[in-house]
Amino acid sequence: MKIGLAQVDGKYPNLALMKLSAWHKAQGDDAEFWNPLFKYDGVYASKVFNDTPENYYLPDGVVRGGTGYDFETELPAEVEKMIPDYSLYPEWTAAIGFTTRGCIRKCPYCVVPRKEGALRVVGDIYSFWAGQKKIVLLDNNLTAAPFEHFRAVCGSCIAEGLSVDFSQGLDIRLVTPEHAGLLARVRTFKQIHFAFDHVNYERAVRDGIKILIRSGVGISRLMFYVLIGYDSTPEQDLYRVELLRGLGVDPFVMPYNRRNSYQNNFARWVNMKAIFKTIPWEVYGPNRMRNEYAIKGGG
Ligand code: SF4
């Protein structure tokens, strides 16, 4: 059989398609990225984001899956357990996968609780690592896993000499000296991400950063996502960002509504570091908004 694999969106290699490819190849099938000019015996399409437009050239009978289509479709267990077929993405040099699914929290703006439910361990790095030097962990909230699991995952990465990306971030509210001690030892190839999504978490953010630094995690390795436009005021947005700046860690603003001009402008101000370091919001913000207003014909 000849199988076509269509990645509709997403910047990361598509894990579901890599596992489908591995499974079909193990059955003796051919699997490749779908090409609308060729005929296939079966086509799978995977879409991560629900605002990505559908690819209207997909053939009849295509099997669709991924959060961008629905929350229900899952890979069959025998496909889920395959080591991903990394040959689909020859430019990609890291292993990628989950050791846990789900989350202990139910943040209302997040799809994970609806899609994956409660947190549970589903494997270890050996479930998807194929000898690469780098590893991207897609766990939604690895710090919420039982500590033995966190220790085993970090310990395996340290023992194998891997450089890690905790791509979905860690939970600052749950960081203990034991977590921090392991994070100090594990090599990372990106900053370690946390979130400061609500001003009410200020105490946890301050305490967590102290624990990390005391345990030997360099401050330049830390970065905090700051969600704005969801249950926060502009004053609270500025307060959180300036608090992080004052503590010496990098903020990265995530606008809840990308069509909102304040949210976009605030995110641009913080995330373009050259601007953030030199121009205060009190100057940048009003100027930017005034210019936009003028461009739109407001005077
Ligand atoms: S902690 Fe993170 S993964 Fe868990 S529900 Fe909240 S945003 Fe989603």
Side-chain angles (χ1 to χ4, degrees), residues 5 12-23 25 31 33 80-98 124-138 162:
L5 305 162
Y12 281 118
N14 189 291
L15 193 55
L17 295 183
M18 283 197 285
K19 290 190 174 191
L20 284 162
S21 176
W23 187 84
K25 286 180 179 173
F33 278 120
E80 186 62 67
K81 70 179 185 213
M82 298 300 294
I83 297 272
D85 176 10
Y86 291 105
S87 71
L88 273 185
Y89 299 89
E91 308 291 310
W92 177 262
T93 56
I96 182 166
F98 295 86
D124 54 32
I125 67 161
Y126 302 102
S127 319
F128 57 90
W129 178 56
Q132 297 94 329
K133 299 262 180 256
K134 293 180 179 174
I135 190 163
V136 177
L137 297 175
L138 296 173
L162 303 183

Side-chain angles (χ1 to χ4, degrees), residues 102-107 109-113 140-141 171 173 197:
C103 187
I104 58 162
R105 303 199 189 277
K106 290 197 167 85
C107 304
Y109 43 80
C110 177
V111 299
V112 169
N140 304 300
N141 194 343
D171 194 329
R173 294 165 283 179
D197 286 339

